[in-house]
Amino acid sequence: MENSLIAERVRARLTAIRQANLYREPRVSTGLDFSHNDYLGISSSRLLAEAGARALEILGSGSQGSRLLGGHSRMFDEAETAIAEFFGAPAALFFSSGYLANIALVTTLSPLFDRVLCDELNHASLIDGVRLAKVEKTIFPHNGVSDLITTPTDLIITEALFSQNGDFVDQRALSAQAAFVLLDQAHSAGVFFEDGRGVKRDWSTTAMTVTFGKAFGVGGACILCSAQIRELLINSARPFIFSTAPPPVVPAMVMESLKIVAKESWRREALWAMSSQVRAVLSEVDPTLQNTDEWGQRSPIIPVRLGAADRALRLSENMRQSGFETRAIRYPTVKVGEERIRISLSLSVSEDNALGMAKYLVELWKEFL
Ligand SMILES: Cc1ncc(COP(=O)(O)O)c(C=O)c1O
């Protein structure tokens, strides 16, 4: 029998979402795509596909269970060793996504500290981790690390390259803090800091997340940390204990991707050059895009701030009809009033096409100002 009362409530929720301009649905990108995070254009690499095919042949498609049951295989050991070495970390623990890795890390670490301090622009996975941990949190203004006064029993949770603003954490301020730091490198890993090998910090006061579905072009994620914290994660992190391990083909392809990122530095350089040039074009309408240092100029994440969901949706739709995929970013991804289009540059689009998109966007953007 149909439960019409609940169906009516579902309909009412959907109507409210639509009326607030917050309705979303998955849509296949058409035209030139500036909405994904495959920054180095690696996801289409032949070498990755071949590494995946080899692993599939040898290890089969599914992992068959969680890592603490039959889901563990030598592929995870090999990948974690290679990943820890690549990022210069004592240990690494593989997860099927960055979202799960962050939930695991935040819920495991937060209860050990007297205070948990979070940047106001932290990603949803970090926010949800704190919520699940049921600990008190203090939110500090975006990139306000230098104003914090911390002790070694404080935990600072922040990102290296912020996913929606495209700006970097103040590393010097972070280094000056006494607190333990949980640093999410989802968007910087592979592209920034020491040839993509990540921020260098003392591992006795640091744990990090790196994801492989963005610059590494595959999927999955790792927590980088001390051997002792890894041991604790294995013994208490629910996303590790209670979830089927990713198919072994995932770590196999990640290992191939690490080799490409290590060898092909031209990819990073081409992306940085493209980012600086696109920013220069867009700064005609938003001069703040150029008010950054040399590294800020190289960030491939460029926010085009519209300040209202309907405006962001209209601009994005107009761009789409002209052959450019630039998606509207709305609440809860950003705060109400901070709605924007997020340009995400990648080597899967040529520099000429990226500049063409930027010039077209400038003309359109002027109409919206
Ligand atoms: C800063 C940040 N952390 C973590 C994640 C989650 O990573 P994944 O997409 O692998 O789940 C994202 C995803 O976009 C992110 O932007």
Side-chain angles (χ1 to χ4, degrees):
M1 194 181 78
E2 189 196 340
N3 187 336
S4 58
L5 190 58
I6 296 305
E8 186 46 49
R9 288 180 189 173
V10 171
R11 199 170 307 123
R13 278 293 302 135
L14 283 168
T15 303
I17 290 170
R18 276 186 206 278
Q19 282 171 348
N21 281 318
L22 295 177
Y23 188 76
R24 292 157 162 99
E25 62 188 332
R27 186 167 53 69
V28 176
S29 291
T30 53
L32 298 170
D33 199 346
F34 298 93
S35 72
H36 63 65
N37 303 314
D38 180 19
Y39 302 118
L40 301 175
I42 289 181
S43 74
S44 53
S45 160
R46 193 70 234 132
L47 293 172
L48 282 198
E50 284 166 10
R54 280 195 301 275
L56 206 55
E57 190 64 37
I58 299 166
L59 296 167
S61 45
S63 68
Q64 303 176 313
S66 73
R67 292 278 297 281
L68 294 177
L69 301 176
H72 185 63
S73 67
R74 65 171 172 77
M75 194 53 84
F76 288 100
D77 286 334
E78 278 176 35
E80 285 169 352
T81 303
I83 292 161
E85 195 181 314
F86 180 90
F87 289 102
L93 190 63
F94 208 94
F95 286 83
S96 39
S97 76
Y99 186 89
L100 284 181
N102 275 342
I103 298 283
L105 187 56
V106 177
T107 51
T108 301
L109 290 190
S110 299
L112 306 177
F113 290 86
D114 295 341
R115 289 195 309 164
V116 176
L117 307 156
C118 306
D119 188 292
E120 64 173 329
L121 293 194
N122 277 353
H123 186 257
S125 53
L126 300 169
I127 297 170
D128 292 354
V130 177
R131 284 183 184 154
L132 277 172
K134 296 197 179 83
V135 294
E136 286 291 316
K137 62 174 180 296
T138 304
I139 309 276
F140 59 84
H142 178 48
N143 244 338
V145 176
S146 57
D147 296 328
L148 302 174
I149 297 167
T150 59
T151 72
T153 55
D154 289 332
L155 174 66
I156 294 176
I157 303 180
T158 187
E159 297 178 25
L161 172 58
F162 283 85
S163 58
Q164 300 305 327
N165 270 25
D167 55 349
F168 291 93
V169 71
D170 181 345
Q171 268 206 82
R172 194 169 303 162
L174 213 51
S175 306
Q177 288 294 341
F180 191 100
V181 171
L182 191 166
L183 188 63
D184 181 343
Q185 298 203 79
H187 292 274
S188 54
V191 183
F192 292 102
F193 307 115
E194 318 276 342
D195 298 329
R197 290 167 187 267
V199 174
K200 292 286 161 277
R201 285 184 50 90
D202 174 354
W203 290 99
S204 68
T205 57
T206 313
M208 303 189 191
T209 314
V210 287
T211 60
F212 300 117
K214 305 183 195 300
F216 289 90
V218 183
C222 255
I223 291 172
L224 309 172
C225 55
S226 67
Q228 192 188 35
I229 290 180
R230 180 178 186 275
E231 211 179 320
L232 181 62
L233 287 164
I234 291 171
N235 283 281
S236 64
R238 295 169 75 88
F240 183 82
I241 300 168
F242 295 109
S243 186
T244 299
V249 58
V250 177
M253 289 194 288
V254 168
M255 280 199 285
E256 193 61 38
S257 186
L258 290 177
K259 289 185 202 155
I260 298 174
V261 170
K263 261 199 302 217
E264 302 186 0
S265 59
W266 63 265
R267 289 183 187 264
R268 275 183 295 283
E269 281 150 24
L271 180 71
W272 296 340
M274 185 194 291
S275 303
S276 309
Q277 293 196 40
V278 167
R279 274 172 187 272
V281 174
L282 294 177
S283 66
E284 184 184 335
V285 264
D286 182 358
T288 64
L289 292 176
Q290 277 210 305
N291 295 347
T292 54
D293 62 11
E294 181 198 350
W295 286 102
Q297 286 295 308
R298 295 175 177 181
S299 167
I301 302 169
I302 308 179
V304 174
R305 293 185 170 84
L306 278 308
D310 58 335
R311 281 153 57 92
L313 283 171
R314 266 190 295 132
L315 186 58
S316 144
E317 181 53 22
N318 199 317
M319 289 290 284
R320 190 183 70 81
Q321 284 175 10
S322 308
F324 305 116
E325 282 286 352
T326 54
R327 301 283 168 97
I329 306 293
R330 295 160 284 163
Y331 178 81
T333 311
V334 292
K335 287 187 214 159
V336 172
E338 290 281 317
E339 290 84 356
R340 64 194 61 186
I341 281 184
R342 175 183 185 269
I343 309 281
S344 186
L345 297 172
S346 107
L347 296 192
S348 61
V349 172
S350 74
E351 190 175 291
D352 277 354
N353 283 334
L355 287 170
M357 176 279 297
K359 286 174 191 153
Y360 181 75
L361 178 53
V362 165
E363 293 314 309
L364 212 54
W365 197 353
K366 283 180 187 163
E367 292 172 24
F368 279 73
L369 290 177

